[in-house]
Amino acid sequence: MAFRLSNNLVGILNLITFILSIPILGAGIWLSREGVTECERFLDKPIIVIGVFLMVVSLAGLIGACCGVTWLLWLYLVVMFLLIVLGIVFTIFAFVVTNKGAGEVLSGKGYKEYRLGDYSNWLQKRVTDEKNWNKIKSCLADSKVCTDFREKYLNDTVAEFYQEHLSAVQSGCCKPSNDCQFTYVGPTNWTKTNGVFTNTDCNLWDNNLNTLCFNCRSCKAGFIDNLKSSWKKVAIINIVFLIFLIVVYSVGCCAFRNNRRDNAYNQGWKP
C-alpha cells in the first residue's frame, strides 16, 4: 500500500495533537490531586475530559491514516465533522449571547457601572442561580480582585478615586453603586447614609473584605461584562480553529479515499 501525501499529513498533524494532549491531561490530573480551592477543582474534570478526548481522537486519526485502518479513519472524520458543526454553533451562540449589554457611563467618573438587566436573559440566568454564583464568588475571592483593588487605590482621595478607570468586576464587586450615594472613606470602606434605597444593592453592601458587594446584582453584571469580552475573544480564536479543522477534515477525506482505493487494489478490485 503506497502512502500518499494526505495520509502522511494527517498522521503528522495527529501526532502533534497527541503530544499536546499529554500535558493537558497531566494538568487536569494534577489539579484534581493538588487543587485546594473550589475554583481550581472546578477546572480539573473539563481539562481531563479534553485531554482524553484529544488523545483518543488523535490516535484514531494517526492509526487510521498511517496504518491504513479505514474504519478508524472513518470514525475520526465523523468526530471531526461533529466538532466543526459544534464549533460553528458555539461561535454563532457566543456572538448572539454577548451582543447585548454594556457599562453605563457616569458623569464626572472615570469608571462605568453595570446593570444586570442590560444583559441577555441566558447569561442572567447563569449568574442568578445560587449554586453557580457561589462557585463564581469562590473564584473571585481566590483571584483577590478586591484585595488588589484596595491596595492599589488605598491612598486615593475621593476626587482621584472617582477618576480611576476600573474594570467591570472592580466596579461591580469592590465598591458600592453610585446610586447609594455613600461617603467615600477608602476604596473598600464607605460610610452608609440613612434612608430608603431605590437600588437593592445598597442594602447588600458591607465594608468587610469578604463581603463587599459580592452578592450585588452589579457584581453579577460586572462579571458578565468581563465574561462577554472573554467570550468574544474565544469566538474569534474559534473561527481560526474552525478553519484549521476544515483543512484537516478535507485532508482526512483525501486520506480516507486513498485507504479505500488501496484496500480495493489489494483485494483485486478496480479502484
Side-chain angles (χ1 to χ4, degrees), residues 129-149:
D129 180 85
E130 188 176 351
K131 187 178 178 181
N132 286 343
W133 185 246
N134 285 337
K135 289 179 180 178
I136 294 167
K137 278 198 301 182
S138 172
C139 291
L140 290 174
D142 292 342
S143 68
K144 298 183 179 179
V145 61
C146 288
T147 303
D148 294 341
F149 161 84

Side-chain angles (χ1 to χ4, degrees), residues 48-70:
I48 289 172
V49 169
I50 291 170
V52 171
F53 176 78
L54 287 174
M55 190 173 283
V56 171
V57 172
S58 59
L59 272 176
L62 183 63
I63 297 170
C66 295
C67 299
V69 184
T70 305

Side-chain angles (χ1 to χ4, degrees), residues 179-239:
D179 297 342
C180 305
Q181 295 297 304
F182 292 167
T183 304
Y184 174 87
V185 178
T188 57
N189 188 2
W190 299 73
T191 302
K192 281 190 175 183
T193 54
N194 296 322
V196 178
F197 302 112
T198 55
N199 189 332
T200 55
D201 284 353
C202 301
N203 295 315
L204 296 172
W205 170 264
D206 193 295
N207 287 330
N208 187 313
L209 271 175
N210 294 320
T211 307
L212 298 179
C213 220
F214 285 124
N215 293 314
C216 299
R217 288 171 64 84
S218 64
C219 186
K220 294 170 183 176
F223 174 78
I224 287 177
D225 195 83
N226 187 69
L227 185 69
K228 215 178 83 160
S229 301
S230 299
W231 270 34
K232 282 188 175 179
K233 290 174 185 175
V234 170
I236 292 168
I237 293 170
N238 200 51
I239 292 171

Side-chain angles (χ1 to χ4, degrees), residues 1 3 39 53-54 61 114-115 123-125 128 157 162 174 184 187 201 209 214 232 241-242 256 258 263:
M1 177 173 56
F3 281 104
C39 187
F53 176 78
L54 287 174
Y114 303 85
R115 314 285 179 183
L123 286 173
Q124 286 186 50
K125 287 177 183 177
T128 51
T157 64
Y162 284 155
C174 306
Y184 174 87
D201 284 353
L209 271 175
F214 285 124
K232 282 188 175 179
F241 181 63
L242 276 172
F256 179 72
N258 291 342
N263 289 341

Side-chain angles (χ1 to χ4, degrees), residues 72-135:
L72 262 182
L73 196 54
W74 178 84
L75 182 64
Y76 170 77
L77 289 173
V78 169
V79 173
M80 290 292 286
F81 177 77
L82 291 175
L83 275 178
I84 291 168
V85 172
L86 287 172
I88 292 170
V89 170
F90 170 77
T91 303
I92 294 170
F93 176 75
F95 279 115
V96 170
V97 166
T98 58
N99 190 48
K100 187 180 177 185
E104 177 187 342
V105 177
L106 301 174
S107 177
K109 304 289 193 302
Y111 51 80
K112 298 178 181 179
E113 290 209 337
Y114 303 85
R115 314 285 179 183
L116 188 59
D118 292 342
Y119 297 90
S120 72
N121 291 330
W122 188 87
L123 286 173
Q124 286 186 50
K125 287 177 183 177
R126 302 288 81 74
V127 297
T128 51
D129 180 85
E130 188 176 351
K131 187 178 178 181
N132 286 343
W133 185 246
N134 285 337
K135 289 179 180 178

